[in-house]
Amino acid sequence: MNSPSDMDLSSLPKEKWWGEDYLCQVGDFWLLPQFIEPINRVINNFKPIPSDVILASFPKTGTTWLKSLLYSIVNRPSINRLATEHPHELVPFLEVQLYASSKEPPLTITTSSKPRRIFATHIPYQLMAKTFDSSECKVVYVTRNPKDTLISTWHFMNKWEKAKEEPWSLDEATENFCRGVVPCGPYYDHVMGYKDMSIERGKNVYFVTFEDLICDTKRHVKKLGEFLGCPFGDNINEEEQVEEIVRNCSFEVLSNLEVNKSEESPSWFKLPYNSFFRKGEVGDHKNHLSMDTIGRIDEITKQKFHSSGFMYGI
Ligand code: PAP
């Protein structure tokens, strides 16, 4: 298999995905060309330490929410930096922020286990296997049902400058999603990589779905506390802490903070801070997809998830 460490960009398979823009294939995955070098740097240089927490996800599946939750669980709500700092600044992406332009470990990477380091990545497990398998770090993976993921991706992409001239139609987005030719796609392979890892290395991987998280956020906050080795006790004070974390990280609270409503863009990304908050609901695909398209995606979900025993996504 091609891995980013031995690839020559010009020799990689390419596919058009939006107008004239193309994605490059590394292993089985389609990546935006500008992220191939940074991903390469992460794979070759990032060495997690055992106390690290790494949030992995396919884009648009709940990353921003989990960043907020993990940051709050590890630091507890008394340090509510979420009130003034965007979740993506508190928990940086390895490939988009920390290793974006240099293989030299940034300062945050070189510090010790205190304060505890939390990083995020959209890199598929299959490309990061060596990094993860040689470390005892904790991995949290969040996924979301494919149809809502598609709709969230479609909305997000249409916020790009390019969309003003050339909107990404829902038909085109659906076609690409079904073929797997979207950034970090195929979605199904991304999810199954981490799902399999969670089965093989349950002690180190917490696999959760957006829908389960919405259903019972409190239970997951407590379980995540245990998983990360910083459990909440049974006393009233700690119960209140859990409730405060759930509230502080809710879509309603986060999306109404000035820092998250900001039209400014971060230095490392072209879209404004507010583009990471839209609706935060389960089932929005029903407002956009025809019954035929729903049927088509459900068929793929059966083949890719259900046939592997993962009864999810329909
Ligand atoms: P990213 O991969 O670009 O970081 P990510 O955070 O994974 O994006 O996904 C964004 C989705 O999470 C958006 O979903 P939507 O388009 O269906 O609305 C966004 O609204 C949603 N989201 C962000 N924060 C929260 C939250 N606190 N609770 C629930 N959903 C949230």
Side-chain angles (χ1 to χ4, degrees):
M1 175 179 94
N2 245 340
S3 89
S5 53
D6 56 23
M7 58 107 242
D8 160 17
L9 214 101
S10 63
S11 69
L12 294 173
K14 293 179 181 55
E15 279 250 17
K16 280 192 186 167
W17 71 291
W18 175 1
E20 289 306 303
D21 285 357
Y22 64 88
L23 298 173
C24 293
Q25 194 178 36
V26 176
D28 292 331
F29 291 92
W30 293 101
L31 305 176
L32 286 163
Q34 65 267 36
F35 288 126
I36 290 185
E37 276 305 317
I39 288 174
N40 194 13
R41 281 193 281 272
V42 174
I43 290 168
N44 291 328
N45 299 289
F46 175 58
K47 307 271 178 277
I49 55 176
S51 57
D52 281 350
V53 182
I54 302 179
L55 167 65
S57 59
F58 186 82
K60 315 322 292 177
T61 56
T63 323
T64 312
W65 189 13
L66 258 295
K67 282 187 175 191
S68 319
L69 287 170
L70 294 176
Y71 184 85
S72 308
I73 292 166
V74 166
N75 295 291
R76 300 292 140 124
S78 55
I79 320 173
N80 188 18
R81 284 175 59 191
L82 282 171
T84 51
E85 287 170 75
H86 196 281
H88 286 293
E89 299 295 354
L90 292 176
V91 177
F93 281 111
L94 290 167
E95 67 277 20
V96 187
Q97 286 153 277
L98 298 176
Y99 286 91
S101 53
S102 163
K103 77 178 171 92
E104 290 302 316
L107 270 183
T108 35
I109 292 272
T110 53
T111 53
S112 72
S113 57
K114 293 223 165 94
R116 200 159 177 192
R117 311 187 311 176
I118 316 175
F119 305 116
T121 186
H122 285 324
I123 303 176
Y125 168 76
Q126 291 87 331
L127 302 183
M128 284 274 276
K130 275 194 196 141
T131 307
F132 286 131
D133 294 351
S134 59
S135 170
E136 282 302 310
C137 68
K138 298 286 187 195
V139 177
V140 176
Y141 186 79
V142 60
T143 190
R144 185 179 195 182
N145 87 67
K147 292 164 287 191
D148 285 347
T149 303
L150 161 63
I151 292 304
S152 187
T153 306
W154 171 63
H155 277 288
F156 187 73
M157 291 304 171
N158 278 307
K159 290 180 181 152
W160 288 85
E161 193 62 29
K162 170 180 164 68
K164 285 188 186 139
E165 308 262 302
E166 193 180 4
W168 199 36
S169 74
L170 185 52
D171 281 351
E172 206 180 346
T174 304
E175 193 56 37
N176 279 41
F177 187 85
C178 289
R179 291 176 50 233
V181 189
V182 283
C184 298
Y187 155 90
Y188 293 97
D189 298 37
H190 199 291
V191 177
M192 285 314 293
Y194 284 97
K195 179 70 187 160
D196 290 344
M197 184 196 182
S198 76
I199 293 167
E200 279 161 32
R201 301 186 54 201
K203 191 169 74 68
N204 294 74
V205 186
Y206 192 98
F207 186 98
V208 65
T209 69
F210 187 94
E211 298 77 22
D212 277 354
L213 206 52
I214 282 218
C215 237
D216 197 345
T217 317
K218 201 171 147 182
R219 185 172 72 88
H220 282 289
V221 167
K222 286 184 177 172
K223 282 180 67 180
L224 279 164
E226 274 167 39
F227 171 74
L228 298 174
C230 47
F232 295 89
D234 290 332
N235 57 63
I236 292 184
N237 187 14
E238 300 207 31
E239 271 296 313
E240 280 173 358
Q241 280 193 354
V242 172
E243 275 162 24
E244 204 178 337
I245 288 174
V246 172
R247 205 170 37 249
N248 287 346
C249 298
S250 66
F251 181 85
E252 203 190 353
V253 168
L254 283 183
S255 62
N256 282 304
L257 292 171
E258 287 310 316
V259 62
N260 298 331
K261 287 198 282 186
S262 170
E263 292 284 345
E264 255 180 64
S265 301
S267 56
W268 45 268
F269 205 64
K270 286 191 181 141
L271 289 182
Y273 283 116
N274 65 14
S275 57
F276 296 96
F277 299 90
R278 189 181 65 92
K279 270 187 163 179
E281 290 172 3
V282 173
D284 191 37
H285 68 270
K286 292 182 193 138
N287 299 318
H288 297 280
L289 300 178
S290 68
M291 290 313 286
D292 277 358
T293 304
I294 289 177
R296 178 180 177 199
I297 298 176
D298 286 351
E299 266 316 305
I300 302 174
T301 303
K302 282 184 204 157
Q303 281 168 28
K304 302 281 185 181
F305 284 169
H306 295 199
S307 66
S308 310
F310 181 36
M311 307 315 282
Y312 173 70
I314 293 192

